[in-house]
Amino acid sequence: MSEDLSRKLAAYLRDRLGAHDLEVANLARIPGGASRETYRFRARYSEGGTSRDRGLILRRDPTASLIETERTTEFRAYQAFYGLGLPVPEPIALELEGGALERPFFVMEEIENCQVASIITADPYGAHRQTIGEQFWRNLGRIAGADPAAIGLGDLEGARTPEDCWRHELARWEKVVREDALEPQPIAHATIRWLKRNPPPPAKKISVVHGDYRTGNFLFDENGDIRAILDWEMAHLGDPLEDIGWAADPLWSHGDPSHPAGGIAREEAFRVWEAASGMTIDRAALRWWEVFASLKGLAIWISAAKEYAEGRNTEAVNAFSGWYCLAFHNQVLADRLGQEFGA
Amino acid sequence: MKPEVDQILMITAGQIMLELAPNLAAQYAQGVAQLSALMAILSAQEYDRAAEIRASENREMREAFAELATLVDDAALKTRLGVAAATTDPSLRVSALNEANYALRDLLIALHEHIEALDGQAARAAETRLWSLLKTFAGRRRLYLPQG
């Protein structure tokens, strides 16, 4: 099967890149989440009289996806932020029809000699904790500060007015909870009702929201440099506080929520973000978005559990998300909101 | 039974993580093996406690329904609460406990929503009671990862 995929991929890239001698080598599937099949490979070809040997990544739709996303969103986000100089892989090709490889896919540059932090690692960055933490929040601030229209993402899915941001996102994830839950979820429903009764103020601006900006979704190298921000498939227009809430969620804190994403201290992180984005964080509004982030997590894990339990996508990560992560976020929300009610 | 199921799962997880995964050539296969080992560790945690968690939740929801039904002014909901409060778990099989648990949790959602809409001190105290219940449930079901 791998040989067959290599052959088809090579044929596609020869045509696409105009490299008639292109060969695909060392094609191997790598972990890349449950929403896309991810493969690493080498593309060897000649260009302008010189030999090229490029590390590339293929991201192909699985037969069932954890989150139903437009693959164009991820590709377009890579294009936009690559152009802005943010650390993202160079996007190479997008195929929506998928005829060449049977399912829709896209190809991008491989960022080599890097690693990803696992959420079960207590201290993922070691001596580079400070510098990686600063870059993590600075990069997020740059995403928030970008003008969506100016970088070609003004038509992304999402909210169209600052007043509509919270309502748009809450409706999106409430629908997932209602449609995908295989068992009753009292904490999710109580949280949804609380979020509706206590809406945040309008967004200070409509930004591109990455949608899954967190530890585990960026690559860093041995020098402590963040080399690539990945997994933009849930990118949309909305309140930039949404990304902060998600990035600061306890699930991604490596056991220490006072240092979100396993990096720098929470208040320092927010100052770095404010400096990079040119905006200030309304702490009361952020509280809403942090509760929302855990609810959004619940919705994603509920969806993962359904995919796994019904046999549509039995990637181990779906079992893990649908069980461990769901139990985790239920506790986060019960503790956070329980406190509001004196429990 | 010795060895117990949780011990078998923990030893199996260790063998997958330390002996099998490092010897797999493909990075994707290594990732699957490591996550599978993690699932075995979580399964070991759940093995010993699964019936206890569900039986406790079911009992505590029935107690809460009996106690809070007096506040409910919706006749149909009140009847449902009374009926549910009088049920018991005839079997300790996890599948049977789950079936009852899902029905009770459905009713818990309806009761919580109803209480939120009521005015008065008693309703606020009932909200505190329900959130305490949810906190207890979530705390019991929390799983623990090995720290690397």
Side-chain angles (χ1 to χ4, degrees):
Chain A
M1 171 178 171
S2 175
E3 278 178 27
D4 187 44
L5 186 57
S6 285
R7 188 176 47 74
K8 289 176 177 171
L9 184 58
Y12 169 80
L13 288 174
R14 273 182 215 124
D15 185 47
R16 176 75 192 214
L17 299 179
H20 303 297
D21 60 345
L22 186 145
E23 295 295 335
V24 165
N26 305 338
L27 179 78
R29 190 165 177 192
I30 58 173
S35 55
R36 300 272 185 278
E37 291 175 1
T38 307
Y39 299 83
R40 162 194 291 150
F41 64 97
R42 308 295 305 183
R44 293 172 180 148
Y45 57 100
S46 53
E47 187 178 57
T50 56
S51 295
R52 296 206 64 182
D53 183 356
R54 297 184 76 183
L56 298 177
I57 295 289
L58 165 69
R59 298 261 286 161
R60 181 168 73 155
D61 279 20
T63 46
S65 176
L66 171 55
I67 306 157
E68 295 302 330
T69 56
E70 291 286 339
R71 72 280 309 160
T72 49
T73 298
E74 185 168 17
F75 191 80
R76 288 182 61 206
Y78 282 130
Q79 285 180 316
F81 285 101
Y82 183 79
L84 207 64
L86 217 70
V88 294
E90 179 188 359
I92 307 288
L94 169 69
E95 280 301 321
L96 293 176
E97 297 306 318
L101 301 183
E102 290 148 15
R103 281 170 257 147
F105 63 92
F106 68 85
V107 176
M108 62 183 181
E109 169 194 17
E110 181 188 9
I111 307 296
E112 297 178 75
N113 304 315
C114 285
Q115 56 180 309
V116 173
S118 160
I119 66 166
I120 69 167
T121 308
D123 182 17
Y125 313 121
H128 299 306
R129 183 187 183 120
Q130 180 74 23
T131 178
I132 288 179
E134 287 170 1
Q135 291 170 73
F136 177 82
W137 291 100
R138 190 179 308 121
N139 287 335
L140 185 57
R142 289 184 62 197
I143 294 167
D147 176 353
I151 59 172
L153 296 177
D155 61 344
L156 273 190
E157 187 280 332
R160 290 289 172 263
T161 67
E163 293 75 19
D164 197 35
C165 291
W166 73 269
R167 207 175 283 108
H168 185 278
E169 286 308 299
L170 184 56
R172 174 185 182 186
W173 295 106
E174 179 181 4
K175 184 168 182 278
V176 173
V177 170
R178 291 194 184 279
E179 290 181 354
D180 288 358
L182 294 179
E183 55 186 287
Q185 300 288 345
I187 294 173
H189 285 284
T191 303
I192 290 166
R193 295 193 303 271
W194 183 90
L195 289 166
K196 287 180 178 174
R197 288 196 308 269
N198 299 278
K204 289 185 178 171
K205 93 178 254 247
I206 300 271
S207 292
V208 174
V209 175
H210 178 287
D212 197 11
Y213 192 91
R214 60 172 172 84
T215 191
N217 270 347
F218 65 86
L219 298 172
F220 62 97
D221 65 20
E222 60 183 7
N223 299 316
D225 288 327
I226 292 182
R227 300 272 308 283
I229 301 163
L230 305 172
D231 289 338
W232 292 74
E233 60 213 56
M234 290 199 287
H236 59 274
L237 298 181
D239 190 326
L241 295 184
E242 184 187 340
D243 265 341
I244 301 179
W246 184 248
D249 191 90
L251 183 60
W252 320 121
S253 71
H254 300 270
D256 178 10
S258 72
H259 288 72
I264 54 180
R266 184 177 161 94
E267 281 306 315
E268 185 184 0
F270 294 166
R271 282 195 297 275
V272 170
W273 183 93
E274 288 176 333
S277 68
M279 288 182 272
T280 53
I281 297 171
D282 175 337
R283 300 301 201 271
L286 179 60
R287 160 133 176 90
W288 189 95
W289 285 105
E290 289 193 270
V291 172
F292 168 79
S294 298
L295 183 272
K296 170 177 156 178
L298 270 189
I300 295 171
W301 318 139
I302 284 168
S303 194
K306 184 180 185 186
E307 291 296 311
Y308 189 90
E310 293 185 345
R312 276 194 298 278
N313 186 334
T314 52
E315 292 270 355
V317 69
N318 275 347
F320 178 76
S321 303
W323 187 13
Y324 173 82
C325 298
L326 191 134
F328 186 98
H329 269 140
N330 263 329
Q331 191 177 27
V332 167
L333 286 168
D335 286 349
R336 273 185 168 161
L337 293 185
Q339 217 171 19
E340 295 264 329
F341 294 93
Chain B
M1 176 190 132
K2 296 290 179 188
E4 274 292 354
V5 171
D6 45 358
Q7 184 188 10
I8 294 169
L9 287 167
M10 288 301 287
I11 290 173
T12 302
Q15 287 166 337
I16 294 172
M17 271 190 180
L18 301 175
E19 293 170 33
L20 181 61
N23 291 309
L24 292 170
Q27 194 184 345
Y28 177 73
Q30 282 181 12
V32 171
Q34 282 163 350
L35 256 182
S36 299
L38 206 53
M39 298 314 297
I41 291 170
L42 301 185
S43 299
Q45 289 174 35
E46 191 70 4
Y47 164 76
D48 190 43
R49 65 183 204 175
E52 172 71 20
I53 283 175
R54 288 152 179 79
S56 299
E57 284 184 2
N58 292 355
R59 185 184 64 250
E60 289 161 12
M61 280 190 277
R62 289 174 182 124
E63 287 168 1
F65 294 164
E67 186 186 319
L68 300 178
T70 53
L71 292 175
V72 172
D73 55 14
D74 176 301
L77 179 58
K78 199 168 195 148
T79 301
R80 285 175 67 200
L81 291 168
V83 169
T87 58
T88 56
D89 291 318
S91 163
L92 289 178
R93 291 180 75 97
V94 169
S95 54
L97 291 169
N98 274 343
E99 196 177 328
N101 188 264
Y102 296 165
L104 292 166
R105 274 199 269 160
D106 248 339
L107 193 50
L108 182 66
I109 292 170
L111 172 63
H112 200 162
E113 190 168 5
H114 183 81
I115 294 282
E116 283 170 357
L118 298 177
D119 293 324
Q121 277 302 109
R124 299 295 71 79
E127 272 193 275
T128 303
R129 168 90 165 84
L130 290 172
W131 275 107
S132 296
L133 206 57
L134 294 176
K135 272 181 77 168
T136 302
F137 291 178
R140 279 199 199 111
R141 289 196 183 229
R142 173 82 190 267
L143 295 147
Y144 295 89
L145 297 177
Q147 284 296 318

